[in-house]
Amino acid sequence: MNVPTVVIIPTRDRRVDLLPGLVTSLLTQNEADEIFVMDNSDEQDAGDYLMIDRKVQLYNCKGWGLYAMWNRGARNACVGRPHTNLAFLNDDIVIP
């Protein structure tokens, strides 16, 4: 059975200094089936620089806490799937 892997990244203000590099690294390594960016930013831009691949989904979580973003990401990842691998990553990590 092929179990999908979903990466959930909570962020605030989309960490323009680090987040795009993390998302690009994850896409390059091709280990994630989907990447959920859970953003509680006060900014209202579209986050176009994150929409570089159909695997990336941006969720507006304005005003949410960390645990609420984790839980929403996990629930969304598991909808319609009996089994899913979940990876929760901070927005400031660097993957070589």
Side-chain angles (χ1 to χ4, degrees):
M1 169 186 3
N2 186 18
V3 178
T5 298
V6 178
V7 176
I8 300 163
I9 307 168
T11 190
R12 177 163 176 81
D13 297 328
R14 290 190 203 97
R15 292 298 304 257
V16 296
D17 53 336
L18 296 173
L19 187 57
L22 173 58
V23 170
T24 300
S25 292
L26 290 168
L27 291 170
T28 301
Q29 292 184 14
N30 203 30
E31 295 292 330
D33 295 293
E34 293 181 85
I35 301 169
F36 293 176
V37 177
M38 314 301 288
D39 182 33
N40 74 349
S41 172
D42 292 330
E43 308 261 332
Q44 292 298 316
D45 64 52
D48 293 337
Y49 66 89
L50 287 175
M51 301 295 102
I52 55 177
D53 191 280
R54 64 177 181 78
K55 292 181 179 183
V56 180
Q57 296 180 40
L58 179 63
Y59 290 90
N60 180 357
C61 302
K62 183 178 178 181
W64 294 21
L66 180 62
Y67 301 117
M69 291 189 289
W70 282 345
N71 289 331
R72 173 56 62 88
R75 277 195 306 274
N76 289 355
C78 295
V79 169
R81 301 177 182 148
H83 304 284
T84 305
N85 295 318
L86 300 177
F88 297 91
L89 300 180
N90 290 336
D91 62 357
D92 61 350
I93 67 169
V94 177
I95 299 176

